[in-house]
Amino acid sequence: MSRPPQLKVTSSDHNGVSVIQSQSHASAGPALPPPPQQVPQPSSPPPGGKSASSSAAPGKMKKASADKDSDEYRQRRERNNLAVKKSRQRSKQKAMDTQQRVNQLKEENERLEAKIKLLSKELSVLKDLFLEHAHNLADNVQPPAGNPDASPAPNNQ
């Protein structure tokens, strides 16, 4: 029989929120009901008068639409527009470089295929010459001495 995990309440963290952790116990004792879960307690604002929500990152919070007219907003938009333009230009340049490389490789491939055809023809011609020469040599070889068609061998006495 398995026992449900026990919940352990630890001390409050830096925001005053109670942390609830689960722990498994392997004891064979009777199952005890888990202690009640505690709800996060509101904490007093930290010194300085700012609440936790106002200390969030500046890019995470939406500002009022009136801020769209500010110099800071226009500068950020201008920088972003330049970054986008630069990124698109790099992308176009990369595509052009890739296409140029493809064209170079196609030309090289065509040259190599033409060279293969030329070398194959040369090999064929050389094979034919070799076979013709080998056939001529075979025709010029004298037949063995027991052959009646053969002319008599010269006598060296």
Side-chain angles (χ1 to χ4, degrees):
M1 173 175 8
S2 67
R3 188 172 173 196
Q6 293 284 330
L7 298 178
K8 179 181 179 183
V9 178
T10 61
S11 62
S12 299
D13 66 0
H14 64 279
N15 289 331
V17 176
S18 297
V19 178
I20 301 173
Q21 294 181 341
S22 145
Q23 286 184 332
S24 297
H25 293 291
S27 66
L32 298 175
Q37 293 184 356
Q38 294 185 358
V39 181
Q41 301 169 358
S43 62
S44 61
K50 292 184 178 179
S51 67
S53 63
S54 67
S55 65
K60 301 287 182 183
M61 299 201 44
K62 298 290 180 186
K63 295 186 178 182
S65 61
D67 289 342
K68 289 185 177 182
D69 295 331
S70 71
D71 287 340
E72 180 187 351
Y73 176 80
R74 275 188 255 127
Q75 287 174 351
R76 280 190 284 128
R77 291 302 313 142
E78 205 171 300
R79 281 195 311 255
N80 181 261
N81 289 344
L82 288 174
V84 167
K85 186 177 182 181
K86 188 176 178 182
S87 174
R88 288 178 181 155
Q89 184 62 36
R90 279 193 309 256
S91 179
K92 286 179 185 177
Q93 184 63 44
K94 187 175 179 181
M96 290 189 317
D97 292 346
T98 301
Q99 186 60 46
Q100 183 179 5
R101 179 73 175 139
V102 166
N103 292 339
Q104 288 173 345
L105 291 173
K106 283 182 178 180
E107 288 175 7
E108 183 181 1
N109 195 30
E110 289 172 3
R111 282 194 306 270
L112 291 172
E113 286 178 359
K115 189 173 184 178
I116 287 171
K117 285 182 182 179
L118 178 67
L119 290 173
S120 294
K121 286 180 182 178
E122 186 178 345
L123 178 64
S124 178
V125 168
L126 290 174
K127 276 183 181 179
D128 290 344
L129 284 174
F130 176 77
L131 291 174
E132 184 180 333
H133 181 69
H135 182 66
N136 287 341
L137 284 178
D139 288 347
N140 291 336
V141 173
Q142 292 184 358
N147 192 345
D149 294 335
S151 61
N155 228 346
N156 291 340
Q157 288 181 350

